[in-house]
Amino acid sequence: MALLNFKKRDAAEKAPVNPTVEAFLQGYSIEVMPRTAEKVEDFRALLPEGTRVYIAHIEGTPIEEMVKTAKRIADEGYPVMPHFPARIINDAATLENWISMYQGEAGVDQALLLAGGVAKPHGDFDSSMQLLESGLFDKAGFKRLHVAGHPEGNKDIDPDGSTKNVADALRWKQKFNETTDAEMALATQFAFDAKPIIAWADSLKEAGIDLPIHIGIAGPAKLQTLIKFAIACGVGPSLKVLQKRAMDVSKLLLPYEPTDVVTELANHKAANPDFNITNVHFFPLGGIKTNANWAINNGGASAQPVNS
């Protein structure tokens, strides 16, 4: 009986919201895929007003399915940012058609441009820089263009383990930012340790790269799920955080939550207001609803859904 009473009290008690975390989560974004979006009955029950929803385009997903998902989410009142993976786009005509479909059917005016996780390009494009150089997004009047950032490097881009090619690409994108009317930002891969993230962000500023950073954060999920995704995505130094957790028997079966990394980044931001990480971008690896509920519980007014 005592155990039952303890559980009731525990469930009824809600931890106070950390005001620095609340401020840091203001304007967070989240990523979905068509198949994961289908599981959500109403995004307005989960997400705050104005939440940017990225739609990941996985190889083999028909563009019609992507556009249908974009329209559904836009119709619920959210700005949509679909992925444009260069290596699965055959040519400029295909790119222009995709842009036209997204705009005509879903009113899309922002995009995440990336190379895409495909070893061999399907056609003419190999990198996000080529997509930018096409001029088609500016021609279509896109208001916001995000490009990829890699706090822990990227073995696909730099097979030797260095960061040379990634750094060269960032300098190119910084220069392109001076020529486009669209607002640009870096949307990064997820990481689990705040210290390497902070060091990377500071190094960009020192190199003269002042694009705002939307830092990738993995949402709550089973530890095994996160380790699988981390290895597949090439997450390096911060993978040790998960490995250390896996060795702690008391935490092994508990879901991972991003509370520690978000809190440390939020505290750093509060102490350094000019810190170039401006937004959080969630990868809901344990499910959209699970991620949204974590944000609601930890983000205070910043994370209250439209239908709250």
Side-chain angles (χ1 to χ4, degrees):
M1 183 64 68
L3 180 61
L4 291 176
N5 288 338
F6 172 78
K7 283 187 175 181
K8 285 180 181 178
R9 286 198 303 271
D10 185 57
E13 292 173 2
K14 191 173 181 180
V17 171
N18 181 332
T20 59
V21 171
E22 180 176 355
F24 192 59
L25 290 180
Q26 181 71 43
Y28 80 79
S29 58
I30 195 165
E31 186 159 307
V32 305
M33 294 181 286
R35 63 178 176 81
T36 57
E38 285 179 356
K39 299 176 182 178
V40 178
E41 290 184 11
D42 188 347
F43 280 92
R44 291 166 293 196
L46 298 175
L47 303 180
E49 183 178 358
T51 301
R52 179 177 295 111
V53 181
Y54 291 60
I55 307 179
H57 195 154
I58 307 302
E59 183 182 19
T61 305
I63 185 60
E64 293 79 10
E65 192 172 335
M66 293 290 298
V67 172
K68 178 182 176 182
T69 302
K71 183 180 187 309
R72 176 262 168 113
I73 295 172
D75 285 347
E76 291 186 16
Y78 295 99
V80 178
M81 178 173 274
H83 289 197
F84 282 79
R87 294 177 186 172
I88 69 170
I89 301 172
N90 289 328
D91 50 34
T94 301
L95 175 59
E96 191 165 22
N97 183 51
W98 285 19
I99 291 172
S100 176
M101 290 176 68
Y102 275 122
Q103 284 197 317
E105 298 183 39
V108 170
D109 61 3
Q110 50 188 300
L112 171 64
L113 280 54
L114 65 170
V118 179
K120 185 178 180 181
H122 291 194
D124 297 340
F125 297 115
D126 181 62
S127 71
S128 62
M129 292 180 287
Q130 291 171 320
L131 298 181
L132 290 168
E133 280 182 320
S134 75
L136 292 172
F137 293 95
D138 283 325
K139 179 183 175 183
F142 269 51
K143 296 177 181 177
R144 179 172 285 274
L145 297 173
H146 287 187
V147 290
H150 306 280
E152 300 182 1
N154 185 301
K155 287 289 182 69
D156 289 337
I157 301 173
D158 286 292
D160 61 0
S162 71
T163 58
K164 181 184 181 304
N165 294 332
V166 167
D168 288 345
L170 283 179
R171 282 190 287 270
W172 187 96
K173 292 166 186 174
Q174 173 71 31
K175 191 170 182 179
F176 182 86
N177 183 49
E178 300 168 5
T179 70
T180 180
D181 291 331
E183 291 186 58
M184 291 187 67
L186 297 177
T188 82
Q189 183 54 275
F190 57 82
F192 303 99
D193 188 353
K195 290 179 178 60
I197 293 172
I198 293 169
W200 173 76
D202 288 345
S203 73
L204 294 192
K205 183 178 287 188
E206 291 169 5
I209 295 168
D210 61 5
L211 294 172
I213 298 171
H214 295 219
I215 191 66
I217 297 292
K222 293 179 181 178
L223 189 59
Q224 300 94 318
T225 299
L226 291 183
I227 291 175
K228 180 184 73 174
F229 276 106
I231 293 172
C233 296
V235 173
S238 70
L239 180 58
K240 295 176 182 177
V241 172
L242 299 183
Q243 293 170 330
K244 182 178 180 181
R245 183 184 177 95
M247 292 189 296
D248 186 340
V249 177
S250 67
K251 296 180 179 179
L252 183 59
L253 299 180
L254 296 175
Y256 165 88
E257 294 187 345
T259 310
D260 290 344
V261 63
V262 169
T263 301
E264 190 169 346
L265 289 172
N267 289 339
H268 186 80
K269 178 73 174 180
N272 304 272
D274 62 342
F275 185 47
N276 48 353
I277 289 180
T278 60
N279 297 75
V280 169
H281 174 60
F282 282 116
F283 292 86
L285 303 181
I288 298 168
K289 185 176 181 180
T290 299
N291 199 144
N293 284 334
W294 181 90
I296 291 166
N297 292 335
N298 290 271
S302 293
Q304 293 309 300
V306 173
N307 294 344
S308 59

